Amino acid sequence: MHNTAFRHLNLNFYYTAFQVKSADLPSAIQGARAFNVRGLNVTVPHKVAVISFLDKIDQIAQRINAVNTILNIDGELKGYNTDGIGALKAIGEENIKDKAVVLLGAGGTSRAIAATLQGVCRQIIILNRSTQKAVSLAKELEKNRQSTILGLALSKKNIQKALNQSDVLINTTTVGMYPNVSETLIDKKYIDNGLAVFDAIYNPFETQLLKDAKSQGAYTISGLDMLVYQGAESFKIWTGIEPPIYVMKEAAIKALKTYEVNKSGGEC
Ligand code: ATR
């Protein structure tokens, strides 16, 4: 999607991927400095470890404690995190502002989204299979004193109670991801048509949770949108130019479809 956007805007940039072993992370960053690249994306498992090799960290990335985007300004490397803002843009700020949100999961994606949404929404209830992870994430973020944040067990009772008092449901767990495409954590009878439902999963584009939400008349947003918007935010950081969202989204859909067919013969 980045190369398509660069070509679309006639920009002299090229985006490519390198697989880096954990032990090679310091030299990979050193290499990026030596090659004087404009920027980098960083993904699992390096998002936290890379922080110690950078010169500056943006405030949101600091709060998330993970970096997925690096900008090289005259040899000085600054780390950002666009995962949360990608989710916020995908869902639409108007659907989040002063609203109550239920967040399923307490892993890296949940953390990025919660840290970005706090201060924008009124309340966040984090529900996680391992209760302690939800509780400590909520406690840690509550310190910023921006929104009410609760961490609870992912029980039927808590799901029902939380959804009753919320406007937005966000799934950041891996439940429903290919190949387990018929799985969902939420019984559709708890979803009403006033709810906005976002699933961070983009394979498949429409998860069982989103299918159920749609059938209940709820507003649904796919993880594909988050993928595109987080990329678009990185694009903006590197180029200073407004990204061509629709061109990027089309390219992402095309690439994911091709990738899935080549990888497994499965449908994306
Ligand atoms: P990511 O970085 O994408 O958030 P992660 O850090 O591995 O990935 O987090 C995965 C999340 O999915 C976790 O919240 C995990 O719950 P636990 O903390 O209890 O492991 C959640 N998850 C994965 N499989 C699950 C399942 N079968 N039921 C409920 N939650 C599940």
Side-chain angles (χ1 to χ4, degrees):
M1 70 180 164
H2 286 295
N3 285 329
T4 305
F6 294 147
R7 277 194 301 272
H8 180 78
L9 295 175
N10 241 332
L11 297 173
N12 189 19
F13 289 109
Y14 184 72
Y15 186 102
T16 192
F18 298 97
Q19 193 161 13
V20 177
K21 293 187 188 117
S22 290
D24 293 330
L25 185 61
S27 41
I29 296 297
Q30 205 47 38
R33 286 182 196 272
F35 285 137
N36 195 27
V37 298
R38 174 69 68 92
L40 299 158
N41 271 141
V42 183
T43 191
V44 178
H46 304 308
K47 286 182 178 185
V48 179
V50 77
I51 291 177
S52 53
F53 305 110
L54 306 179
D55 305 305
K56 271 188 178 170
I57 307 292
D58 168 75
Q59 205 185 341
I60 288 274
Q62 234 167 45
R63 196 189 285 171
I64 297 169
N65 191 33
V67 158
N68 79 332
T69 303
I70 299 170
L71 174 67
N72 181 358
I73 319 158
D74 299 327
E76 189 182 67
L77 300 188
K78 181 168 178 181
Y80 296 82
N81 193 309
T82 66
D83 287 330
I85 185 82
L88 180 61
K89 293 235 164 155
I91 300 166
E93 202 159 340
E94 67 286 1
N95 293 318
I96 294 284
K97 197 158 177 33
D98 302 324
K99 299 284 168 70
V101 176
V102 180
L103 199 49
L104 305 175
T109 309
S110 170
R111 187 186 183 85
I113 293 178
T116 309
L117 296 196
Q118 74 168 160
V120 182
C121 63
R122 171 167 48 84
Q123 173 179 282
I124 305 174
I125 300 176
I126 302 168
L127 302 177
N128 196 51
R129 181 176 59 177
S130 322
T131 313
Q132 198 41 49
K133 267 168 78 180
V135 173
S136 39
L137 179 58
K139 259 198 190 143
E140 188 193 322
L141 294 175
E142 270 257 288
K143 283 190 205 138
N144 300 314
R145 297 168 191 273
Q146 283 180 314
S147 310
T148 310
I149 309 184
L150 293 170
L152 302 167
L154 182 71
S155 66
K156 266 197 179 143
K157 203 171 131 204
N158 285 342
I159 290 172
Q160 188 180 3
K161 241 173 122 180
L163 285 178
N164 258 336
Q165 48 175 295
S166 297
D167 313 281
V168 184
L169 168 65
I170 300 175
N171 176 47
T172 70
T173 75
T174 46
V175 178
M177 193 185 280
Y178 182 86
N180 305 312
V181 295
S182 60
E183 290 181 4
T184 174
L185 292 170
I186 307 294
D187 190 324
K188 74 181 199 178
K189 69 176 182 236
Y190 299 137
I191 302 175
D192 70 41
N193 62 3
L195 200 68
V197 182
F198 167 62
D199 200 327
I201 293 171
Y202 57 81
N203 182 15
F205 295 152
E206 190 174 61
T207 57
Q208 187 61 48
L209 171 65
L210 293 188
K211 280 184 189 158
D212 290 345
K214 212 182 233 178
S215 75
Q216 294 293 94
Y219 176 62
T220 60
I221 308 108
S222 162
L224 176 75
D225 290 303
M226 173 175 166
L227 178 73
V228 172
Y229 276 104
Q230 61 80 27
E233 288 300 311
S234 300
F235 182 98
K236 214 191 294 183
I237 289 168
W238 298 322
T239 65
I241 293 171
E242 208 51 48
I245 298 284
Y246 292 102
V247 169
M248 293 178 83
K249 184 167 175 175
E250 292 231 320
I253 291 172
K254 203 170 141 196
L256 284 169
K257 279 188 172 159
T258 314
Y259 173 74
E260 279 310 314
V261 169
N262 288 344
K263 196 175 115 201
S264 60
E267 217 182 289
C268 194

